[in-house]
Amino acid sequence: MDRNMSEVEKEVQVEKKKKKMRINRQKIAPYAFISPFFIIFALFMIFPLGFSIFVSFQKWSGTGMQNIQFTGLKNFLFLLFEDIYFWKTIRITIWLLIFGSLSQHAFAIPLAILLNNKFLKGREIFRTAYFLPVITSSVSVAIIFQNVFNMKYGLLNFITGLLNIPPVDWVNWSWSIPIAIAIVINWRWIGWNTLIYLAGLQSIPHELYESADIDGASLITKHVNITIPMLLPIIFFAVTMSIIGGMQIFDEPFVLTQGYLWMGGTDNAGFTAAFYILWSLQRAGRLGRSNAIAWLLFVFVLIMTFINRAITNYYQGDRRMKRIKNPGKPESDSAYDPQVSLH
């Protein structure tokens, strides 16, 4: 009898263990399925970022881990207070950011409004045409524009020649190199921002424009009081992407100014911060300094993004204040104030 009881107890314990193992497997299974993503993310994102921070505090030429020499903040202090190139590359990058990246939005928004017009024929063709430069290789684009900017037979000098303007060596004169790079950047990315704004325009309720028409608002008034306020979140996103991309400009100046050899062309006029990072890494063999430049550039991008966020919040807050002052007004009319528009 006792023996049978002990066997039953053993069987019960075995069943409990099996059940516990099944429950544990069921708990572990989801993590096992998603683990490849986290493993890849850790190997190719977290580890490189951590190693980059580590290297930025070292003096290292990349010839072997045994040659790493800890220097603390020396790389950062040298770049901020002694390096003759760092602040110059930052100034060039910010100039290109303003006239090459941020200026796109002044063209992209009107183009998006035009393409959003339902009476425009061939809208799909125009949308495709605007987007083609985006999917074209940046190196190919830069090589094509080298011919466009050529002093002897370039298209741009041919056009300026019709206006009796002397030919310009666009990719060899220090004052014209940033202008040439900005032209290429604008040509390539205006279409991208146009399609982003077009998507935003299609989400704006058409009833707002009908209400404005009833009140007799002009076309400009409707866009100022309806389109722009309703596009503010999209503008924030597009401008943030332009800041991130603009502060990393490399391909266009690299190809237009003939690579590492001339360090951005005459007087280093096309020597951007991203160009400096890769030059320090590839030509000078200063891995510690190149990583320090990258993290300083990250700080600049972060500050500009916060400024962009603050400006966007300010204007969105202004809209909310108007809504509070007019509590009886329907929510759908909050972006359009007839009293404001008609005066």
Side-chain angles (χ1 to χ4, degrees), residues 58-289:
Q58 318 294 327
K59 180 181 179 182
W60 187 36
S61 62
T63 55
M65 294 297 291
Q66 69 277 6
N67 296 322
I68 292 181
Q69 180 184 350
F70 179 75
T71 57
L73 295 173
K74 188 176 179 180
N75 287 326
F76 294 95
L77 295 175
F78 175 82
L79 291 168
L80 292 172
F81 301 109
E82 298 181 40
D83 191 3
I84 61 174
Y85 291 115
F86 178 72
W87 287 110
K88 186 173 185 177
T89 61
I90 293 296
R91 286 195 300 271
I92 293 168
T93 304
I94 292 176
W95 191 95
L96 290 173
L97 173 66
I98 295 170
F99 296 102
S101 297
L102 298 182
S103 61
Q104 299 168 20
H105 303 276
F107 300 97
I109 293 176
L111 282 173
I113 292 172
L114 181 63
L115 290 177
N116 196 45
N117 188 340
K118 61 182 179 180
F119 299 107
L120 179 67
K121 295 182 179 179
R123 288 187 299 171
E124 290 73 17
I125 296 174
F126 285 111
R127 291 174 187 177
T128 304
Y130 284 137
F131 196 72
L132 280 176
V134 179
I135 60 176
T136 305
S137 167
S138 57
V139 176
S140 302
V141 170
I143 291 173
I144 292 170
F145 270 92
Q146 275 186 327
N147 294 318
V148 173
F149 294 135
N150 189 277
M151 187 175 182
K152 295 180 179 179
Y153 56 82
L155 177 63
L156 192 56
N157 277 324
F158 172 76
I159 295 172
T160 57
L162 297 176
L163 303 174
N164 294 322
I165 298 174
V168 176
D169 197 352
W170 291 97
V171 294
N172 286 311
W173 292 354
S174 59
W175 67 268
S176 61
I177 289 174
I179 298 173
I181 296 171
I183 291 172
V184 176
I185 295 168
N186 274 286
W187 178 85
R188 189 166 182 229
W189 293 105
I190 283 176
W192 166 265
N193 287 303
T194 298
L195 292 185
I196 289 176
Y197 288 127
L198 182 60
L201 287 170
Q202 292 173 349
S203 67
I204 298 176
H206 190 65
E207 291 78 8
L208 296 177
Y209 295 103
E210 292 176 349
S211 175
D213 288 333
I214 293 171
D215 290 319
S218 65
L219 182 64
I220 295 176
T221 301
K222 286 190 288 185
H223 289 313
V224 169
N225 291 282
I226 298 176
T227 306
I228 300 301
M230 296 295 285
L231 276 181
L232 278 176
I234 307 298
I235 293 173
F236 168 74
F237 168 76
V239 170
T240 300
M241 296 302 293
S242 292
I243 290 171
I244 295 171
M247 293 299 286
Q248 298 180 76
I249 295 171
F250 169 74
D251 293 348
E252 291 83 358
F254 179 80
V255 178
L256 286 175
T257 59
Q258 301 178 24
Y260 294 120
L261 183 62
W262 301 106
M263 293 175 63
T266 306
D267 197 27
N268 310 117
F271 202 35
T272 62
F275 200 157
Y276 190 24
I277 291 172
L278 291 171
W279 181 86
S280 298
L281 180 67
Q282 300 287 344
R283 295 301 293 262
R286 300 167 183 161
L287 271 71
R289 193 170 299 173

Side-chain angles (χ1 to χ4, degrees), residues 287-314:
L287 271 71
R289 193 170 299 173
S290 65
N291 281 276
I293 299 169
W295 284 104
L296 288 173
L297 193 62
F298 168 76
V299 172
F300 281 111
V301 170
L302 207 59
I303 292 170
M304 291 179 183
T305 303
F306 282 137
I307 293 172
N308 182 29
R309 178 76 270 179
I311 294 171
T312 305
N313 286 341
Y314 172 79

